[in-house]
Amino acid sequence: MKKVFVAGFTAGSVLLVLSWGVIFLMVKFFPGLADQYWSDKFRQAGSSTDWMFYAHPFVLSFALKWFWERYKDIFKGSNILKAFEIALVYGIVAMVPVLWLTYSNIDISLAMVLSWLVYGIFQAFIAGIIFSWLNP
Amino acid sequence: MGEDGSSTGLQTWIVEKNSTLLIEGSSNINQFACDVRKYLHCDTLTFATDAKVKRLHFQCRTVHIDVSEIDCHHKFITADLRRTLRHQQYPFMKIHFVSLDDPFAIRVGQPLNGIVEIELAGIIRRVEMSFIVKSQAGRLFHLSGSKNLVFSDFNLEPPKKLAGLIRINEDLKVTVQLFFRKIG
């Protein structure tokens, strides 16, 4: 149990820092994409749900940790390859269907949806590297 | 009324409909400029001239600007800014003129100082504002003035998204172009 918490919190903390970095890079290099977040489809900051934004890396890392512990034996190769594989599985199984549904019902751009897909896969890849390093 | 009691009678200016307001600001993504081009009110300013110091003291003194006419040329920022300024509760930004150097006592292009009270979202702040006489022709004249403000002056929180990682900065530059017609 202890190793689950250590790995989950380690991955969550790294992903939290990365999420700030990714938003910083988006503002700097993709201002058109960042501009779309002014849409009233997104909540104003300062609302009671702000904490959920900061908690999301931990939700993701604990979910992926559960998945990792259950299926890590089927991933073969180096740590990088294992991390890449878990990221791809997460992207295809978890993200594509949800984002498909999101795009079909919410008026957001395809670029935004694709950026979430890439970002999600990237997050899972980082979490995968941490898990394969801490709990191979 | 002048300090020594010297004053001319009350005079009146009508604020012309082509008067405009410009609000310039920035976010951590880019810059934006919002304007109000439809000045639909017919405000009238009434004042007494203190002849000794060539200064006007206003009695009927308010220019109303319709907040729901603010257009930032970016539909989301426009909506966010109007919401931030609580346009449903406070539909007008008001500029209350307190006193002003007499624009007819100086040449076109020269600066003049005024004291105004800016009322935004129900909060009034008294500020010194610098104006320039842009043109004078008969009874018509054009004043341009600007002032740097911050949202917090008016107890307002600038719009933020993504838990504050995308945000509008505190500083705003407000510029008014006021066209007046003297009627008395």
Side-chain angles (χ1 to χ4, degrees), chain A residues 107-118:
Chain A
D107 183 17
I108 49 176
S109 72
L110 184 61
M112 181 170 270
V113 171
L114 290 175
S115 73
W116 291 346
L117 178 63
V118 171

Side-chain angles (χ1 to χ4, degrees), chain A residues 20 23 26-27 31 34-40 42-45 50 53-54, chain B residues 27-30 74 76-77 80 83 159-168:
Chain A
W20 286 325
I23 291 173
M26 175 181 70
V27 165
D35 228 19
Q36 294 178 37
Y37 285 91
W38 289 117
S39 164
D40 50 15
F42 297 93
R43 292 180 201 276
Q44 281 287 343
D50 277 6
F53 177 83
Y54 293 111
Chain B
S27 66
N28 62 337
I29 302 170
N30 50 27
H74 182 305
F76 301 136
I77 290 183
D80 271 332
R83 194 180 307 119
K160 295 176 195 164
K161 293 289 172 99
L162 286 188
L165 297 174
I166 290 178
R167 64 186 181 278
I168 294 218

